[in-house]
Amino acid sequence: MRGPRAWELARQLFRPAGKPVPEAPEVNRFWFGTLGSDEVVLARTASDTIEVHCHGGRRVVRWVTEQFLTNGCLERAAHTQNEGHDLLQRAPTLRTASIILDQLNGAFAREVRRILALLETDPPAAYQSLQQLTELGSTIGAHLIAPWPVVVSGPPNVGKSSLVNAIVGYQRSVVSATAGTTRDTVTARTAFDGWPVELTDTAGFREALGLEAEGIELAARAREAADVVLWVLDLTDPAPVLPSYPDNYLPVQEVVIFVANKCDQPQKWSPNTVGAIPVSAVTGEGIPKLIQLISRYLVTDCPPSIAVPYSPRLIDLISRSYAVSFFGDWSETARLLHEALAEAESHHFASPLGLSSKP
């Protein structure tokens, strides 16, 4: 609530749990007590502004709001939250939130203006800049909110579920020595070097029937959609099983990292023979190195100050402008860039919601 009578009305409605609240307290002070029958925290955040932090739920919040409305407050109309603000709230890590915040503060818009200026003087240079911006959109921009999919795959009983648990740091997947325990895909979200990642534990690849066969089919589909596949091998198995593909299948975009699990036990073969990363899901040996390698595959380079298309709409506009620039259609390129610039500039922060006290 804002206004010259904000503190006066708050004192009328609020009952502190301890000493009485002063008539003119300092700002950035907090009190615990009750407002009506609800326990709340009262805060004075500016000379003319107070905040009431109450229990969740629309009815509770509305009831607290009505206490002020019946005592002379006016309710402001809610501002529509724009996409930029929404993206920032949904950022899963501090690193991706920082990148989005940089864009909302003008990093993307400045780069688009620079490219527009280059279109007038040096179109080939503009084309190169558009190429880089498009690549950043498809790699980093597309995953500022949505995590990179990383699938843990391989034959049964090699320790896939144990590996997922070791990476995320808690027991997300059920671990059993019985082959076929994992029959569905199990996901766990985490972050590697500040980049959001969704690990998917899958059923072991082998000949099977019924529910297990359906789980293996789900595993195959998850593997096809992954950015990185961790193919887990068993160092204690004298005949490790490597991935196989149909004769007409070319995994052009599939990145496969071989992971040699159970390095804490007597080894029947050397990880160097297939370029595998030796790890132990039991002791944690090799896990940090594996995470570092995955992170490098996901994001090869990220400058400290970066302009990147940060929403699906902006990614699409930049991608289309790059496509038409390839054919030398500079007027259409400029039109799409101006559309992207207008879209980015509309992503300003909305004012907070609240009440206004009458003078």
Side-chain angles (χ1 to χ4, degrees):
M1 180 173 65
R2 290 191 178 93
R5 293 187 58 211
W7 182 248
E8 175 190 342
L9 292 178
R11 291 186 68 221
Q12 292 178 14
L13 298 172
F14 178 73
R15 296 292 177 266
K19 297 180 180 179
V21 292
E23 293 186 6
E26 300 176 359
V27 297
N28 298 325
R29 292 286 304 279
F30 301 83
W31 295 265
F32 174 74
T34 58
L35 197 155
S37 59
D38 189 36
E39 292 183 332
V40 301
V41 173
L42 174 67
R44 192 185 193 203
T45 55
S47 60
D48 64 344
T49 305
I50 65 103
E51 295 179 6
V52 175
H53 298 258
C54 59
H55 288 93
R58 295 182 180 180
R59 291 186 179 182
V60 174
V61 173
R62 190 62 204 171
W63 182 87
V64 171
T65 301
E66 287 173 352
Q67 307 313 302
F68 287 95
L69 292 175
T70 56
N71 281 273
C73 288
L74 301 175
E75 190 167 15
R76 289 209 315 258
H79 292 268
T80 302
Q81 183 165 289
N82 62 54
E83 184 182 12
H85 196 175
D86 178 64
L87 288 171
L88 185 60
Q89 288 182 324
R90 292 165 52 205
T93 70
L94 179 60
R95 185 168 195 171
T96 59
S98 298
I99 292 174
I100 294 173
L101 187 59
D102 284 345
Q103 312 317 305
L104 298 180
N105 284 331
F108 174 77
R110 286 191 294 271
E111 178 63 10
V112 172
R113 292 192 191 95
R114 188 185 72 84
I115 295 175
L116 282 168
L118 284 174
L119 284 176
E120 302 291 333
T121 59
D122 191 355
Y127 171 80
Q128 292 179 355
S129 296
L130 269 175
Q131 181 182 30
Q132 181 182 20
L133 200 58
T134 301
E135 292 173 352
L136 288 171
S138 63
T139 54
I140 296 176
H143 295 289
L144 292 174
I145 304 299
W148 276 270
V150 175
V151 168
V152 181
S153 188
N157 283 13
V158 293
K160 297 185 297 298
S161 298
S162 297
L163 180 63
V164 170
N165 293 340
I167 291 175
V168 300
Y170 63 95
Q171 188 167 343
R172 179 64 181 93
S173 296
V174 176
V175 177
S176 173
T178 303
T181 298
T182 302
R183 297 186 176 184
D184 199 356
T185 56
V186 179
T187 61
R189 293 201 174 189
T190 185
F192 296 161
D193 197 24
W195 303 116
V197 170
E198 183 173 77
L199 286 171
T200 300
D201 183 17
T202 60
F205 281 90
R206 66 171 182 170
E207 295 293 331
L209 298 173
L211 289 176
E212 186 179 352
E214 294 179 11
I216 293 173
E217 177 61 28
L218 287 174
R221 290 201 294 266
R223 179 175 153 188
E224 291 173 0
D227 286 326
V228 172
V229 174
L230 305 182
W231 186 270
V232 185
L233 304 166
D234 186 349
L235 278 171
T236 67
D237 185 351
V241 179
L242 295 174
S244 60
Y245 303 95
D247 294 337
N248 60 347
Y249 178 72
L250 295 176
V252 177
Q253 296 181 339
E254 186 178 84
V255 175
V256 178
I257 299 175
F258 291 124
V259 182
N261 192 24
K262 306 181 184 180
C263 70
D264 57 312
Q265 301 181 33
Q267 302 177 14
K268 298 295 180 64
W269 53 278
S270 172
N272 295 330
T273 57
V274 293
I277 304 295
V279 303
S280 170
V282 175
T283 67
E285 182 180 350
I287 298 296
K289 182 179 179 180
L290 175 61
I291 290 174
Q292 186 180 40
L293 181 62
I294 298 171
S295 181
R296 287 205 304 266
Y297 271 113
L298 297 177
V299 182
T300 55
D301 182 36
C302 182
S305 180
I306 185 175
V308 57
Y310 55 96
S311 73
R313 173 67 174 158
L314 294 176
I315 292 172
D316 177 65
L317 287 170
I318 293 301
S319 176
R320 288 162 55 195
S321 66
Y322 170 62
V324 297
S325 69
F326 178 81
F327 297 100
D329 191 346
W330 306 117
S331 61
E332 179 64 8
T333 301
R335 187 193 70 79
L336 290 168
L337 286 175
H338 278 295
E339 191 173 342
L341 182 61
E343 175 83 6
E345 290 179 340
S346 71
H347 294 166
H348 60 277
F349 288 103
S351 301
L353 312 181
L355 305 170
S356 297
S357 64
K358 292 181 179 179

